[in-house]
Amino acid sequence: MDVQKAFSISPRQFATSGTVMVRPLLLKPQWMNGLSERLLVSHYEIDYGGALRRLNAIRARLADLDWARTPTFAINGLKREELMAASSVILHEIYFESLGGHGDNPPTGLDEPPAGLAQALAREFGSVRAWRAEFTAMAKALAGGSGWVILAWSERLGRLVNQWAADHAHGLAGAAPILALDMYEHAYHLDFGAKAAAYVDQVMANLNWERIGARYRMAIGEGAGEDELFLPFGAPPQAEARISAEELKAALENDAERRPVLLDLCLPRDLPRRADMLAGARMHVPAALPVWIEKLPRDRPIAVYCICGFQVSGRAVTELRRRGYDARALVGGITAWHAIGGATVPLDTSTYEEAP
Ligand SMILES: [Fe+2]
């Protein structure tokens, strides 16, 4: 496949052009605890994706800027917008990655912080319960306004702090966010209307403390082997079996012989969740693999996608590669594709098999 580099789950994600790459949803949006798929996906694709697209557009503009001739007001505006877009991207990623169940299981609402983080919260706030009371009160106090509430590790202060942020660019200097709670209205209005306090309680019942704990360990310099926690459940573990949305977009611009063949896999129960697809993709039932695999070329790269890039595309890619096909799973699925502004066409189910 004509792509420059495999997707990395490291926080440093840049395509070769310097583009800041999308991070996939790690939560299963259809199985969350009192937060709807419609809310989460629109927030991810439109608001997070919008910030990411804005950031890359500003970076492209800055790369071509003649610094000596550009008016100061234009420099001020671009650099201010760049900071806000970049912080919005990073905080949204921390927000979404802090939510979700474990493996294939929905969040239970009963999760507690892992031992190291629990001890730090108890040391600095009195108890985990006291930390939670402060953090949620701060979030609820932003009802009717907007901003972020952030749990951050400050190396300088030598402690975890709960921090209010009036906008995306209002972080405690030098502190590393561990958990971020989005209090912009777009984060809750679809499900909760003006009931911001109910939204805050529901977010707290969806926290993935395993990943928040990993973020804490990385912030204090004790992180090790955390990468797999930040890979979508069921995605192929080998980097060469995955393709990022940005890499796929570039590969689809190749001439016809080198362009990847696109496979859209969807479980029958998930069909009602779908409205569109990538142009030129063929849609199949995953379980009908013995039927549709016969039509796949062996001399072309194959890009497989599903809704969010979990086990539906992951399992198929593993099987295709086992049979010798050059197949890769789209990281983050069509949801990540939407977030980068990738073009789609209306769903075509004419190639979709009857469920076996
Ligand atoms: Fe947001």
Side-chain angles (χ1 to χ4, degrees):
M1 187 166 288
D2 186 23
V3 292
Q4 293 77 29
K5 82 184 189 38
F7 178 83
S8 155
I9 52 175
S10 142
R12 285 195 196 98
Q13 279 175 26
F14 292 96
T16 45
S17 62
T19 305
V20 179
M21 294 165 74
V22 68
R23 285 178 75 88
L25 266 185
L26 303 179
L27 57 85
K28 294 209 161 191
Q30 75 279 32
W31 290 348
M32 296 291 278
N33 187 4
L35 299 170
S36 74
E37 177 171 27
R38 187 164 160 251
L39 171 73
L40 292 162
V41 171
S42 97
H43 190 183
Y44 173 84
E45 291 182 350
I46 296 172
D47 302 291
Y48 164 61
L52 185 73
R53 297 192 296 274
R54 198 160 58 249
L55 173 61
N56 282 319
I58 296 166
R59 286 168 58 94
R61 180 74 66 88
L62 288 170
D64 291 336
L65 210 64
D66 180 340
W67 295 97
R69 292 171 194 269
T70 303
T72 52
F73 66 82
I75 292 173
N76 280 337
L78 280 168
K79 291 303 286 184
R80 189 160 48 235
E81 289 294 321
E82 181 196 28
L83 178 63
M84 290 182 67
S87 296
S88 175
V89 164
I90 293 165
L91 290 171
H92 275 106
E93 288 168 353
I94 293 168
Y95 171 74
F96 285 115
E97 290 176 5
S98 297
L99 299 175
H102 297 276
D104 206 18
N105 300 314
T108 60
L110 301 172
D111 241 21
E112 289 295 329
L117 179 53
Q119 283 157 11
L121 289 170
R123 188 172 61 239
E124 276 131 34
F125 295 89
S127 65
V128 173
R129 192 189 176 95
W131 164 78
R132 185 185 282 258
E134 179 178 314
F135 188 82
T136 55
M138 288 170 64
K140 291 174 185 179
L142 286 177
S146 58
W148 293 87
V149 179
I150 300 166
L151 171 67
W153 167 255
S154 167
E155 189 68 30
R156 174 66 183 90
L157 302 181
R159 59 163 292 167
L160 287 162
V161 293
N162 283 332
Q163 189 227 315
W164 159 79
D167 61 35
H168 305 297
H170 196 180
L172 174 64
I178 305 298
L179 166 64
L181 207 172
D182 190 339
M183 289 307 298
Y184 284 80
E185 205 178 56
H186 66 233
Y188 59 87
H189 194 263
L190 272 177
D191 280 5
F192 297 91
K195 295 177 182 160
Y199 156 73
V200 171
D201 290 337
Q202 215 56 48
V203 166
M204 299 305 284
N206 280 277
L207 293 181
N208 181 304
W209 280 109
E210 203 177 8
R211 284 197 290 268
I212 301 166
R215 210 174 266 292
Y216 171 65
R217 289 192 295 278
M218 289 189 277
I220 61 172
E222 293 180 3
E226 319 285 13
D227 275 5
E228 68 183 45
L229 290 175
F230 293 89
L231 188 65
F233 175 75
Q238 323 90 307
E240 64 273 16
R242 305 190 298 261
I243 183 167
S244 71
E246 293 84 355
E247 290 163 343
L248 180 60
K249 198 171 186 183
L252 290 174
E253 286 161 10
N254 287 332
D255 47 49
E257 298 84 64
R258 293 190 304 147
R259 206 176 293 154
V261 170
L262 291 172
L263 278 189
D264 182 319
L265 298 186
C266 187
L267 298 173
R269 70 168 187 230
D270 288 336
L271 267 185
R273 299 170 58 203
R274 298 291 308 280
D276 62 349
M277 66 196 304
L278 273 69
R282 292 173 72 85
M283 193 178 206
H284 293 296
V285 178
L289 181 141
V291 177
W292 50 256
I293 199 171
E294 298 299 326
K295 297 173 191 135
L296 291 177
R298 285 199 172 268
D299 60 347
R300 292 267 302 277
I302 299 165
V304 184
Y305 69 89
C306 57
I307 298 179
C308 285
F310 296 117
Q311 64 268 53
V312 172
S313 54
R315 282 186 189 142
V317 162
T318 300
E319 180 59 18
L320 289 173
R321 293 180 74 87
R322 194 183 68 77
R323 298 191 190 200
Y325 290 90
D326 176 15
R328 293 174 193 234
L330 175 60
V331 179
I334 195 169
T335 310
W337 180 259
H338 290 151
I340 67 160
T344 60
V345 295
L347 197 65
D348 173 6
T349 56
S350 61
T351 57
Y352 197 69
E353 297 81 7
E354 292 291 320

